[in-house]
Amino acid sequence: MRDDAAGEFPTLAQLGEFAVIDRLVRGRRQPDQVLLGPGDDAALVSAADGRTVVSTDVLVQDRHFRLDWSTPHDVGRKAIAQNAADIEAMGARAAAFVVGFGAPGDTRAADVDALVDGLWDEAARIGAGIAGGDLVSCPQWVLSVTVLGDLDGRAPVLRSGARAGSVLAVAGELGRSAAGYALWHNGIGGFDELRRRHLVPEPPYGAGAAAAGAGAEAMIDVSDGLVADLRHVAEASGVGIDLSTAALAADRDALAAAAAAVGADPWSWVLAGGEDHALAACFAGAAPAGWRVVGRVLDGPARVLVDGAEWSGYAGWQSY
């Protein structure tokens, strides 16, 4: 965006904090649940349920995204999507987001405009808004996103409710982000959809509430890897979980060509890739529409098996 007062490509430092904030919030339309958006010392968000589900994620440049791979718009969408998935995993719906953003002063304001457009683009997909935030100087891009969710009168779905004899089901696709990362990392072109899915995940919006309505006993966002995240459910519930590769074959088959190009095992992406932000849940009865059964819940001890055996491969993302 050209700004003749500050030059053709003004930076954050040239515009100043309040001018930047003004251009980021001007003309935005808030959803009904955001009663008061940016402009005062705090926002005001309604929670018709009387309870608020809250989650926070931090994204750091070159750790969680790369600006030579992603556009600023991509980064904004990813930041919202991964936070919204946490709310989905509680059986709730995201209502509003608060975003803290740090960047060097020489960052082009147009890039921040594109980032904010991405934030709003993804939030609009779930009927949510950006209620407020903060802008600071920082040596690299950092986003801290807090999401507020509404349970719409339902009980939250925890990780601790799985019971032996139930089925394990998944909503969304697995392994796509990990495959995309491997393609980007190895400089392999083509496979545009997989490469894209690493930059911008596609959580199954609405599936969390549907699962809660269908009586889900336990649920989790698959952010670190299917095996790793299911271990959290197994440990919290005191049960075993047995995954079926036959039931996951469609995910494996969708990644086979990319795995051959990279020289990787596609099962490592399906079982341990993470960042797809699919949902995994346990049901005592039938799984609802949009969910597919991929395993079963066993008596303890807490463990995750694959076709009845311990998984010996890479288990998933670790922050440290």
Side-chain angles (χ1 to χ4, degrees):
M1 180 182 294
R2 183 183 176 88
D3 188 322
D4 291 330
E8 186 173 1
F9 299 109
T11 66
L12 300 184
Q14 288 174 320
L15 289 175
E17 177 184 1
F18 295 108
V20 172
I21 292 173
D22 179 65
R23 67 191 275 156
L24 297 183
V25 302
R26 188 188 311 139
R28 303 291 184 180
R29 182 179 177 82
Q30 297 284 2
D32 291 342
Q33 58 264 33
V34 179
L35 305 179
L36 181 65
D40 281 85
D41 290 325
L44 183 62
V45 179
S46 67
D49 179 271
R51 300 165 297 169
T52 301
V53 185
V54 181
S55 183
T56 297
D57 266 321
V58 177
L59 290 82
V60 179
Q61 181 182 345
D62 297 329
R63 179 62 172 169
H64 303 103
F65 62 89
R66 287 176 50 163
L67 290 174
D68 56 337
W69 293 357
S70 301
T71 67
H73 190 275
D74 292 338
V75 176
R77 287 193 58 192
K78 179 176 182 177
I80 293 297
Q82 68 179 50
N83 277 266
D86 286 331
I87 297 301
E88 289 277 339
M90 298 297 291
R93 61 180 177 85
F97 297 84
V98 179
V99 181
F101 177 60
D106 61 0
T107 300
R108 294 195 320 166
D111 289 337
V112 183
D113 291 339
L115 170 74
V116 173
D117 284 343
L119 295 169
W120 276 96
D121 183 355
E122 195 68 21
R125 295 168 190 261
I126 46 180
I130 312 297
D134 192 21
L135 182 68
V136 298
S137 178
C138 189
Q140 66 197 94
W141 281 30
V142 176
L143 286 93
S144 177
V145 180
T146 297
V147 56
L148 310 176
D150 195 331
L151 286 161
D152 293 322
R154 295 180 296 272
V157 183
L158 310 182
R159 300 176 179 182
S160 55
R163 298 293 178 262
S166 296
V167 298
L168 173 78
V170 168
E173 297 173 324
L174 299 166
R176 273 59 169 184
S177 179
Y181 173 80
L183 293 164
W184 281 105
H185 183 71
N186 288 281
I188 297 174
F191 303 101
D192 291 346
E193 177 60 21
L194 293 178
R195 287 159 57 91
R196 180 72 185 157
R197 290 287 289 276
H198 176 64
L199 306 182
V200 181
E202 297 181 6
Y205 294 133
E217 298 173 326
M219 186 157 48
I220 194 166
D221 164 34
V222 183
S223 57
D224 296 332
L226 184 61
V227 171
D229 287 316
L230 288 178
R231 281 177 180 160
H232 297 313
V233 174
E235 290 167 359
S237 299
V239 298
I241 295 174
D242 189 12
L243 291 166
S244 165
T245 55
L248 292 166
D251 290 300
R252 185 265 178 204
D253 292 347
L255 306 175
V262 174
D265 177 1
W267 283 118
S268 69
W269 295 341
V270 174
L271 296 170
E275 285 204 315
D276 287 297
H277 298 290
L279 300 176
C282 301
F283 299 91
W291 288 77
R292 53 196 169 106
V293 174
V294 298
R296 58 198 179 105
V297 183
L298 313 172
D299 287 323
R303 67 205 188 282
V304 177
L305 307 175
V306 179
D307 293 334
E310 294 283 348
W311 170 250
S312 59
Y314 174 67
W317 168 264
Q318 296 287 334
S319 293
Y320 294 97

